[in-house]
Amino acid sequence: MLHLDYLEFYISHTCNFLFLGHQRWDEQEQAHKKWAERLKIDHWRIIGGEPTLNPDIIQWIYGLRSLWPDSKGSISTNASFKKRFDK
C-alpha cells in the first residue's frame, strides 16, 4: 500500500467571489473507493473555489472519513458561508 502524508480533494469550482461548478460525491465515490484500497493517507483536505458551496459537502466529509477513518481531515474555506453550518 502506498502511503501519503497529505492529499487534497478539489470538489468545487464554485467560489462565491468568482466562478461555478462542483464535483458530485456520487459520481466520484467509486474512484475514491479504489484509491482507498491502495493509499494510506495521514491527512486529507477538501479544497475548491469555495468547497462549502458544494451541495454534497456533507457527503464528501462523511465519504472521505469512511474511506480513510484513521486520517485527519480538514476543509479550506473563506468562511463566508459559515452560518450554513451553525446548527
Side-chain angles (χ1 to χ4, degrees):
M1 179 172 288
L2 181 63
H3 176 245
L4 298 177
D5 293 330
Y6 180 77
L7 184 63
E8 293 180 333
F9 293 88
Y10 190 87
I11 69 163
S12 182
H13 305 299
T14 299
C15 175
N16 54 312
F17 301 128
L18 191 57
F19 43 84
L20 302 173
H22 302 293
Q23 295 290 325
R24 302 307 297 242
W25 174 251
D26 63 347
E27 295 170 357
Q28 303 297 322
E29 181 178 10
Q30 292 305 312
H32 292 314
K33 281 183 178 181
K34 289 179 183 177
W35 280 112
E37 295 171 2
R38 299 180 182 124
L39 294 175
K40 178 183 184 298
I41 302 171
D42 292 336
H43 179 201
W44 51 263
R45 180 183 307 261
I46 295 174
I47 64 171
E50 175 46 51
T52 62
L53 289 175
N54 186 315
D56 286 353
I57 186 69
I58 300 302
Q59 289 90 337
W60 275 98
I61 294 167
Y62 283 116
L64 293 174
R65 173 61 64 211
S66 72
L67 294 176
W68 289 282
D70 298 325
S71 300
K72 179 181 176 186
S74 60
I75 301 172
S76 290
T77 177
N78 64 27
S80 61
F81 288 89
K82 179 184 171 296
K83 289 183 181 183
R84 176 178 174 196
F85 302 97
D86 287 346
K87 291 184 181 178

